[in-house]
Amino acid sequence: MKHASTLTAATPLPASTDTANLLETSITGLEACFREVGEALAATIGTIDQMATGLADVRVALAPETAGAAVGRLRDVAHRLTTLPTLQRRRAVEVETLTGRTRELRAMLAEIGTILDLLGIYGINIKIVSSGEPAFLSFVSGMDRKLESGRREVVHITGEMDQFGKVIADVRKADRLLSDETARAGNSVPTELTANANALQLHVEGVVRTTDQVSGIVRTVQGEVARVLGAIQIGDSVRQRAEHCITMLRRLHAPDALLPAGAVAHMERLVEAHLRAMADEFQQEIAAIVESLDRVSPLAEELRGLIASQVGGKDGQILLQLEQGIAKLTAVMSQLGEADGQLASLTGFVGRTLADLTKGLTRIQNIAVDVQDISTNTRLLSRRHGDNGRAVAVIAKEVAPCASRLTQLGTAIGRQIDALTAIDLVQDGSTINSGTVLSDALAIVRNGCASSATAMSRGGEEAQHIIASLRSSAANLNDQRVFVQTLGAAADSLLLSAQTRSPDSEVRTPADEEALEELLPWAAKLYTMASERLIHTGFLLPGMVPPVTAAVAMSDFDDDDGLF
């Protein structure tokens, strides 16, 4: 504690009532400053939240599961374009093979039709040479029904074969147009598409890295600002404690107080102790808060730099370049889609036809068996009918080779079906819908461009606002350090006044003690903080109950000190 001898050279200090007025004026300005800083920091947290939301939107727009799939499709198309000439040459060979196999199949079907027609003639001859014998007539009727079924089967399959020529012509036309369009675009098309895909991949990875970095910084800045926002409650703490001191000073120095000098000096020393404790704590808290804000500012600058790299740097232009590059490939991809459609049509047609052929082959083989049965049954029947039977037997001998030939043709058709099944018209096994892959990729790119441009443009402004707010808050709080000097000057004034009234703090008259018996408990009821009660305890008269004991029930929630 200072003594009067140390203050004799001090500048004349205001009266005690003026000290109260000075404190009141100072805390009014202090409160306004802290309220302004609190509002600014609260707004800053809101700005940070908006920034985080905007970056999250960018990440969703260019999510790896979406943009990554687009990259994969672009690369697949690039691979197709690169290998397209080779595939077209191989496909031309396969289409030619298909055409040749189809031609052979048509010839076999035509021969089967001829054999069936010949067997029909044999049936008519049997009717003639049998002279209308009922047994032969009945037999020929059954034979005609089987032959008619076979003819319908041959006509049906032959009709499908007639469609092959048209479908194959469409495929050849689409391939030719695709070759022309690819040649017109130049050999750089696949390379450009691959470069675009790689650019999109790099951009997505860059955005993910940036959003990760920004999110980390945002979380750190948000945490620090929230911590500072809580810590500036020191302003409210100081205000309350200063108000308690002002209340005590105004009672002590009221014109009608008529208190003993020793009691007033004792209470002035108590208030002086409060002011010096407040000054020390406020100095430490303000220093810690300003230091914390100073730590956050470089993070905010880094945040602005990261966002600026996305807005004005190379990364910020990649999506636009990608969109322009993909647009150049529209004609090629449109024709590739047309070729894919024609090829899919041919492939589907071949598949359906082969399925019908497989079923038809079984029926044709059944016809061969039926014809063989006709030959055998005709010979057996002819033995029972004398001369008519012998004439029919001659015809039956002609039927047997037909049955053998039908069996051979059925086997040959089976081989043709196996050969047709082995033909691969697609070659690369691709399932890409070439007509929509670029439109899908463009939709992703446009969405990403819009989200990225909006978020980054807004984010740059938000980062600038955060930086300005942090700097302004730090400067305003730093300016409040002058309040420490005000507290010190007020404490010096009170100490000088107390020393003047009662040089020896340990000497008190009975009147002093009687007044203090009322003043000290009254002052204790003003306190709202543990630190105040602790200081107050040091000024109690012997036998007085410490205020902490009286307020123990409040001890769990009334300590507003040490907020930082």
Side-chain angles (χ1 to χ4, degrees), residues 271-521:
V271 175
E272 181 238 347
H274 280 306
L275 294 178
R276 295 200 189 281
M278 288 166 53
D280 290 343
E281 293 173 19
F282 187 74
Q283 175 73 17
Q284 294 173 7
E285 297 290 351
I286 286 294
I289 293 172
V290 172
E291 182 181 350
S292 183
L293 289 174
D294 288 342
R295 287 198 305 270
V296 174
S297 291
L299 291 175
E301 287 284 4
E302 183 180 355
L303 185 64
R304 182 174 62 177
L306 284 171
I307 293 174
S309 71
Q310 290 292 313
V311 175
K314 181 179 179 182
D315 290 346
Q317 302 298 321
I318 288 179
L319 285 176
L320 179 60
Q321 295 171 359
L322 178 62
E323 184 176 20
Q324 293 172 344
I326 289 177
K328 296 177 183 177
L329 304 173
T330 301
V332 174
M333 296 307 299
S334 175
Q335 192 55 54
L336 181 58
E338 177 66 21
D340 284 344
Q342 293 294 345
L343 196 57
S345 177
L346 176 58
T347 302
F349 181 78
V350 170
R352 292 190 299 272
T353 302
L354 291 178
D356 287 345
L357 281 176
T358 301
K359 296 176 183 177
L361 175 61
T362 300
R363 290 190 285 268
I364 289 172
Q365 290 170 336
N366 290 336
I367 292 172
V369 173
D370 290 341
V371 172
Q372 186 63 53
D373 291 344
I374 289 171
S375 175
T376 301
N377 292 335
T378 302
R379 288 197 301 272
L380 293 175
L381 188 61
S382 65
R383 294 175 184 176
R384 304 172 189 167
H385 293 82
D387 292 339
N388 287 341
R390 283 192 293 277
V392 171
V394 172
I395 298 174
K397 290 180 181 179
E398 298 296 330
V399 173
C402 290
S404 298
R405 181 56 183 162
L406 284 175
T407 300
Q408 293 172 359
L409 288 173
T411 302
I413 289 174
R415 287 196 296 269
Q416 289 289 6
I417 290 175
D418 291 340
L420 288 171
T421 303
I423 294 176
D424 180 12
L425 295 174
V426 178
Q427 297 294 343
D428 62 355
S430 174
T431 57
I432 298 173
N433 188 340
S434 302
T436 62
V437 62
L438 283 182
S439 62
D440 292 343
L442 278 172
I444 293 172
V445 169
R446 289 190 180 105
N447 185 38
C449 278
S451 297
S452 180
T454 300
M456 293 306 172
S457 176
R458 187 175 61 232
E461 296 174 359
E462 290 168 343
Q464 185 62 45
H465 176 75
I466 291 171
I467 292 169
S469 178
L470 292 175
R471 288 176 176 171
S472 175
S473 297
N476 289 340
L477 290 174
N478 197 53
D479 289 343
Q480 297 310 308
R481 296 191 188 206
V482 71
F483 185 62
V484 175
Q485 299 173 9
T486 300
L487 292 174
D492 289 344
S493 173
L494 289 173
L495 178 58
L496 181 58
S497 176
Q499 294 287 22
T500 301
R501 296 176 192 276
S502 178
D504 191 343
S505 62
E506 301 299 327
V507 176
R508 289 181 295 272
T509 67
D512 293 333
E513 292 186 354
E514 182 181 357
L516 291 173
E517 289 286 350
E518 191 274 329
L519 288 172
L520 288 171

Side-chain angles (χ1 to χ4, degrees), residues 215-251:
S215 295
I217 295 173
V218 165
R219 285 193 298 270
T220 301
V221 171
Q222 192 173 36
E224 287 291 337
V225 172
R227 186 164 172 255
V228 170
L229 190 58
I232 63 172
Q233 293 180 43
I234 184 63
D236 185 60
S237 170
V238 168
R239 178 188 58 78
Q240 292 183 48
R241 293 164 71 178
E243 287 175 348
H244 300 158
C245 292
I246 292 169
T247 300
M248 285 188 278
L249 289 175
R250 285 187 169 155
R251 178 171 180 182

